[in-house]
Amino acid sequence: MSKVAVITDSTSYIPEHIRNEKNIVMISLNVVFDKETYKEEAEIKADDFYDMVGKEGALPKTSQPAIGELVELLEELSQNYDEAVMITLSSGISGTYQSAVAAGEMVEGIKLHVFDSEISCSPQAFYVLKAAELANEGSNGYDIMNHLLQMKNNGIPAYFMVDDLNHLHRGGRLNTAQLFVGNLLQIKPILHFEDKKIVPFEKVRTKKKALKRIFDIMDENVKPDDKVKISVIHAKREDEAVEIADELREKFANADVWISYFGPVIGTHLGEGSLGITWIKE
Ligand code: MYR
């Protein structure tokens, strides 16, 4: 039987105790401040990050894991595993996927399968947790990849909104025309991923209207008694996220509702105050 390691990059924001419990290996992306670079989740967590940005008004940048780090990790895993499945954030917004593919070709003794989640955060976590479940049950790398592909084909809806579109624009993850229209009309677009990239889904003027619209989409997609996993993701808006989660628990009796967060790397590009909702039917 093939022994398979499951690797995620840090932007799936799976809490450490769950990673440990499910045997998930994490590799960090970095936030780069003027003088210092930090590995997110390992050296800097969301709360400290938002405090630093708030207090110092710093404008951090982000970077993918260095290829050498990926190679080192695979070499270490090759001591105990035959294969590894690594699930990355979208290759349309980060070079992490490409670097992982390159690292996999450089290391012998372990077969690396790299899965492009084509998104990030909790939807990426849905893939990672499923991969870990299958690996722990003894599936091989090909079967795990096939299962993840099937999940992707079924679709994982995810919608999010930001307080200030300039963060996404500054980081080059939203094109100028989209920024211009949003800022000009003072619109808070609902955003989502299409073809691995962030695009506006619909233009609404307030957060309240955006949330109502996302709830409507959920109603079209999820029946009140469906078994569904829902994640409410926030950038330093825990109270708001708790309220939304409570409302969702009332609407969907069999839902497993989580509260997750946009950590330092994704928070650099979305900014404080962002909120997202994603779900997957079981
Ligand atoms: C890098 O420097 O390689 C990382 C770049 C990360 C870009 C993040 C853009 C925002 C993604 C939002 C995801 C929301 C998912 C629900």
Side-chain angles (χ1 to χ4, degrees):
M1 193 176 81
S2 179
K3 233 183 133 201
V4 186
V6 173
I7 312 172
T8 180
D9 68 61
S10 51
T11 69
S12 59
Y13 301 118
I14 299 175
E16 189 177 4
H17 70 276
I18 300 184
R19 279 188 266 123
N20 290 343
E21 181 190 303
K22 302 195 182 288
N23 213 11
I24 296 166
V25 179
M26 188 271 290
I27 182 149
S28 292
L29 277 81
N30 311 298
V31 266
V32 186
F33 286 90
D34 253 3
K35 294 189 184 93
E36 204 89 43
T37 296
Y38 299 90
K39 291 183 191 308
E40 72 163 354
E41 296 296 272
E43 294 170 352
I44 190 168
K45 303 257 187 202
D47 284 347
D48 292 335
F49 166 78
Y50 290 112
D51 281 356
M52 271 167 85
V53 173
K55 274 188 209 129
E56 294 167 24
L59 293 174
K61 296 193 169 82
T62 61
S63 67
Q64 65 201 56
I67 197 150
E69 258 177 84
L70 285 156
V71 166
E72 216 172 282
L73 174 67
L74 290 174
E75 276 168 352
E76 199 183 306
L77 291 172
S78 72
Q79 312 289 311
N80 295 305
Y81 294 92
D82 313 298
E83 295 180 87
V85 172
M86 174 163 175
I87 295 117
T88 69
L89 76 166
S90 175
S91 60
I93 55 170
S94 170
T96 306
Y97 172 84
Q98 290 303 344
S99 296
V101 171
E105 282 162 8
M106 288 160 77
V107 179
E108 286 179 6
I110 186 162
K111 162 84 191 133
L112 178 67
H113 308 260
V114 192
F115 184 80
D116 182 353
S117 74
E118 302 187 16
I119 192 156
S120 177
C121 305
S122 300
Q124 181 184 350
F126 292 151
Y127 291 118
V128 177
L129 293 170
K130 179 49 82 178
E133 183 188 315
L134 295 172
N136 292 333
E137 283 168 9
S139 296
N140 66 36
Y142 287 104
D143 290 345
I144 296 174
M145 289 295 277
N146 278 334
H147 196 103
L148 300 184
L149 198 59
Q150 212 177 311
M151 285 170 74
K152 192 188 272 180
N153 291 339
N154 292 341
I156 301 184
Y159 299 92
F160 56 103
M161 54 205 146
V162 301
D163 272 356
D164 178 359
L165 283 172
N166 286 299
H167 294 284
L168 272 171
H169 178 63
R170 188 169 55 88
R173 266 72 181 185
L174 194 71
N175 74 38
T176 312
Q178 290 162 348
L179 172 84
F180 182 68
V181 173
N183 281 355
L184 193 71
L185 303 176
Q186 296 210 314
I187 272 167
K188 300 237 174 293
I190 300 176
L191 302 166
H192 74 154
F193 274 75
E194 234 176 61
D195 293 334
K196 309 180 185 179
K197 295 227 161 84
I198 300 169
V199 292
F201 168 73
E202 237 173 67
K203 300 185 172 86
V204 253
R205 274 187 198 276
T206 62
K207 209 180 223 183
K208 204 166 153 207
K209 285 196 176 133
L211 272 175
K212 156 104 184 47
R213 180 68 183 109
I214 298 172
F215 273 42
D216 287 348
I217 302 169
M218 289 188 85
D219 283 337
E220 284 159 25
N221 188 255
V222 186
K223 293 192 207 77
D225 54 356
D226 274 350
K227 270 200 98 189
V228 61
K229 273 198 188 87
I230 305 175
S231 179
V232 182
I233 319 164
H234 70 96
K236 217 183 170 191
R237 289 294 179 275
E238 182 140 25
D239 291 351
E240 230 171 302
V242 169
E243 250 177 61
I244 298 169
D246 286 345
E247 222 174 302
L248 290 167
R249 283 187 192 104
E250 265 181 40
K251 271 171 85 71
F252 302 107
N254 294 319
D256 175 12
V257 185
W258 315 339
I259 293 177
S260 184
Y261 53 91
F262 294 117
V265 165
I266 300 299
T268 297
H269 294 270
L270 297 187
E272 190 181 319
S274 309
L275 277 174
I277 301 184
T278 180
W279 62 93
I280 184 165
K281 287 197 254 180
E282 297 187 286

